[in-house]
Amino acid sequence: MIKLVASDLDGTLLQGEAQELTPRALKLISKLSDCGIHFVSASGRQYDNQKRLFAPIKDKISFIAENGSICVHQGKVVSRSTIDDTLASRILCEIKKQKHFEVVVSRDDCCFIENNVPEFVNHIVNIMQNTTQIVDDVRNVEGPILKIAICSMQDNPHTINQYLKYLQDMFGSEIKIVTSGNIWIDFLAPGSNKGTALRHLMDLFHVKPEECMAFGDQYNDVEMLQLAGTSYSMSNAAPGISCYSTYVTDSVEDVLEDLLAQVEH
């Protein structure tokens, strides 16, 4: 029997460029919670951002934010990992050599960006509605840093994957670097990913892997998909992600509706 459901957001529970959950999704998650099934929002997004998305039911669910760097249940931090200050400085100095990548430096309290590209600032501040501070130089942000993310508003996925390989060759032995969506590359605190964060929640709720269901679409979801006894990759997921899941689906909501029907009967 499924006792816990964890889902990625962008490209998974949020399809297309959606920045709001559907009323159907909120209703299904709320009903599952009422039936005793824990729901976990597992995203590269910041905790504040996710709380806003799930505002009507935020106290019923748990959150994995910053791709696993921080995990929160009912306002209390369950787990948290940070990037070494010296390593963060080296990464930021290397990234800043590339003029066409925008950078987000994430801490517990907010994310920090520079005011270089109006389209990017608008995306972070107004579209995603992150809790944000604009600074002159992200290299001067004081830690502890949960995550570093870079974004290209203009490059195609092939160019981004080329740069990803370059960064992995340079820093891969010290830190995990993954794609997060089609235009993002994330640097995660060593040892942290959605899977390790989910494991902390499973321990908290005394849930076994076979009692867990997970959904994802990108390589930052792999550990979570592998951990869950039942896992779904999205039909429009990144190439190769379906190899890590039990099933493929077009809709998280459809699967949740089926699960709710089973529970209620």
Side-chain angles (χ1 to χ4, degrees):
M1 178 183 170
I2 298 299
K3 295 181 179 179
L4 184 151
V5 176
S7 179
D8 171 53
L9 294 181
D10 296 286
T12 304
L13 191 56
L14 292 171
Q15 282 292 308
E17 300 299 319
Q19 296 297 326
E20 289 184 1
L21 293 162
T22 66
R24 181 190 181 206
L26 290 169
K27 185 176 181 180
L28 285 167
I29 293 165
S30 182
K31 283 189 172 183
L32 285 168
S33 177
D34 291 341
C35 291
I37 297 177
H38 300 285
F39 183 84
V40 182
S41 171
S43 175
R45 291 179 180 234
Q46 65 177 192
Y47 173 49
D48 272 7
N49 179 290
Q50 294 185 63
K51 276 196 302 181
R52 278 193 287 273
L53 278 171
F54 288 92
I57 57 171
K58 63 181 174 61
D59 296 326
K60 286 187 168 187
I61 69 172
S62 307
F63 298 92
I64 293 171
E66 309 291 3
N67 277 329
S69 295
I70 188 165
C71 178
V72 182
H73 176 64
Q74 294 185 338
K76 295 181 180 179
V77 175
V78 176
S79 65
R80 180 175 176 271
S81 302
T82 58
I83 301 173
D84 175 77
D85 288 347
T86 304
L87 176 57
S89 177
R90 285 170 45 220
I91 291 168
L92 290 169
C93 286
E94 179 60 37
I95 293 168
K96 291 286 284 183
K97 293 177 183 177
Q98 304 289 328
K99 300 301 181 188
H100 58 296
F101 277 96
E102 294 305 306
V103 187
V104 180
V105 175
S106 298
R107 287 196 325 211
D108 278 19
D109 52 347
C110 72
C111 71
F112 297 83
I113 62 173
E114 296 172 4
N115 191 11
N116 298 324
V117 178
E119 181 189 3
F120 176 74
V121 174
N122 180 63
H123 180 76
I124 297 297
V125 175
N126 298 318
I127 297 176
M128 292 193 69
Q129 297 182 41
N130 275 4
T131 302
T132 309
Q133 283 191 37
I134 296 176
V135 295
D136 292 332
D137 191 334
V138 290
R139 288 173 290 190
N140 296 329
V141 173
E142 294 184 357
I145 293 170
L146 295 174
K147 188 185 76 175
I148 297 169
I150 63 174
C151 166
S152 174
M153 306 293 284
Q154 54 195 5
D155 284 337
N156 61 45
H158 177 68
T159 305
I160 291 169
N161 285 331
Q162 283 184 320
Y163 190 48
L164 171 67
K165 186 179 185 310
Y166 171 80
L167 292 170
Q168 285 174 332
D169 288 343
M170 181 171 292
F171 298 109
S173 63
E174 300 173 87
I175 192 168
K176 187 173 181 66
I177 312 168
V178 294
T179 54
S180 180
N182 294 322
I183 60 173
W184 292 92
I185 295 174
D186 286 3
F187 294 80
L188 309 182
S192 67
N193 56 63
K194 292 183 184 181
T196 55
L198 180 59
R199 172 67 75 178
H200 286 296
L201 285 170
M202 290 166 65
D203 290 344
L204 180 68
F205 300 134
H206 306 291
V207 173
K208 301 171 185 175
E210 59 268 27
E211 298 170 325
C212 182
M213 177 184 287
F215 300 85
D217 75 315
Q218 291 287 336
Y219 279 91
N220 59 338
D221 299 313
V222 166
E223 290 88 355
M224 180 172 73
L225 294 174
Q226 289 178 311
L227 176 60
T230 303
S231 58
Y232 291 82
S233 59
M234 305 309 293
S235 57
N236 58 351
I241 295 299
S242 61
C243 298
Y244 300 98
S245 67
T246 321
Y247 306 105
V248 174
T249 184
D250 293 326
S251 168
V252 176
E253 293 176 17
D254 287 352
V255 178
L256 294 184
E257 190 150 25
D258 289 344
L259 176 60
L260 184 62
Q262 293 173 30
V263 174
E264 290 181 331
H265 291 91

